[in-house]
Amino acid sequence: MRRLIREIGPCTLKPRVGRSPFESLARAIAYQQLHDKAAKSILRRFIALFPGRRFPRPAEILATNGRAMRRTGFSRAKIAALRDLAVKALNGTVPTSRVIKLLDDEVIIEQLIEVRGIGRWTDEMLLIFQLGRPDVLPVGDFGVRNGFRIAYGRRAIPTPQALLRYGERWKPYRTVASWYLWRAVDLAKTRAGSVRAMPVQL
């Protein structure tokens, strides 16, 4: 890790503050299993259903006709996930921006995985890129595990459990370690022109 840090330089990870957990998760749902360009187009049409809003509120999504949402490009499964997210934002399962700042990482994850279509990986991306939590190691992320293989010269990609054990030594800055592991993959792929490892920052 010391060699990797010297090669890459200072960590430049900057969380995108200003979005509510509800909006961040809604955007994450939109991006699931889609290329960036397609997801951005769908989101643009979706937001246009709510004139004057930078992003719709939960109650407004629940009041919107399903056919109108389908015409924006959302699948039925994603519409169901967005509606469930809206319901859980209204009942407090999805915390507000003010409340989420007071919660521990694992508490946030436990609450948010109750939302349809939202898993631990999505929650960890929220913790890293939106909330700026310093000690998150998303061992389920292929890019992080592959980055470990590259940086440490291993033949095989570690299992999530193995990486979790190894990552104990990076506490309490496992988010920074994750960033460097993503960058290790990006550097290795630069010459090949392959897809970057760093997740999309919604």
Side-chain angles (χ1 to χ4, degrees):
M1 185 61 74
R2 185 182 295 112
R3 179 194 58 76
L4 188 61
I5 292 171
R6 280 200 301 263
E7 183 179 1
I8 294 174
C11 177
T12 58
L13 177 63
K14 293 183 179 180
R16 294 193 63 172
V17 297
R19 283 180 179 161
S20 68
F22 167 75
E23 179 180 347
S24 295
L25 292 174
R27 289 176 177 274
I29 289 170
Y31 273 81
Q32 287 172 353
Q33 300 177 325
L34 288 177
H35 293 294
D36 293 358
K37 187 176 181 180
K40 286 178 182 177
S41 295
I42 291 172
L43 267 173
R44 186 166 52 250
R45 292 192 294 268
F46 172 66
I47 294 171
L49 294 176
F50 309 90
R53 291 283 187 207
R54 186 181 65 83
F55 200 83
R57 295 175 178 175
E60 292 172 325
I61 289 179
L62 292 176
T64 301
N65 184 281
R67 286 191 294 274
M69 293 177 69
R70 281 283 287 160
R71 285 195 293 271
T72 68
F74 278 129
S75 66
R76 288 185 175 85
K78 288 192 176 183
I79 292 171
L82 286 169
R83 290 189 184 282
D84 189 56
L85 174 65
V87 168
K88 289 184 168 64
L90 291 173
N91 70 18
T93 300
V94 177
T96 63
S97 297
R98 180 179 60 82
V99 171
I100 203 168
K101 294 176 183 178
L102 306 176
L103 300 178
D104 292 338
D105 293 355
E106 285 301 321
V107 173
I108 293 171
I109 291 172
E110 288 175 10
Q111 287 188 208
L112 296 185
I113 59 175
E114 294 184 25
V115 178
R116 179 172 179 164
I118 298 296
R120 185 179 183 91
W121 181 87
T122 301
D123 297 336
E124 289 170 336
M125 296 305 104
L126 176 74
L127 291 172
I128 292 172
F129 294 112
Q130 308 294 322
L131 301 179
R133 296 297 174 94
D135 195 32
V136 181
L137 180 61
V139 296
D141 186 276
F142 179 81
V144 168
R145 300 206 314 276
N146 193 33
F148 180 87
R149 178 190 65 81
I150 293 169
Y152 286 83
R154 304 293 175 87
R155 287 186 176 183
I157 293 175
T159 65
Q161 295 78 11
L163 182 56
L164 188 63
R165 288 193 299 270
Y166 192 94
E168 287 291 312
R169 68 195 65 194
W170 298 326
K171 284 184 174 182
Y173 303 110
R174 290 181 295 177
T175 295
V176 176
S178 300
W179 184 86
Y180 278 105
L181 295 177
W182 276 317
R183 292 295 295 123
V185 179
D186 290 339
L187 286 177
K189 290 186 174 182
T190 296
R191 292 178 182 175
S194 300
V195 178
R196 67 198 293 268
M198 184 73 76
V200 174
Q201 299 184 42
L202 306 177

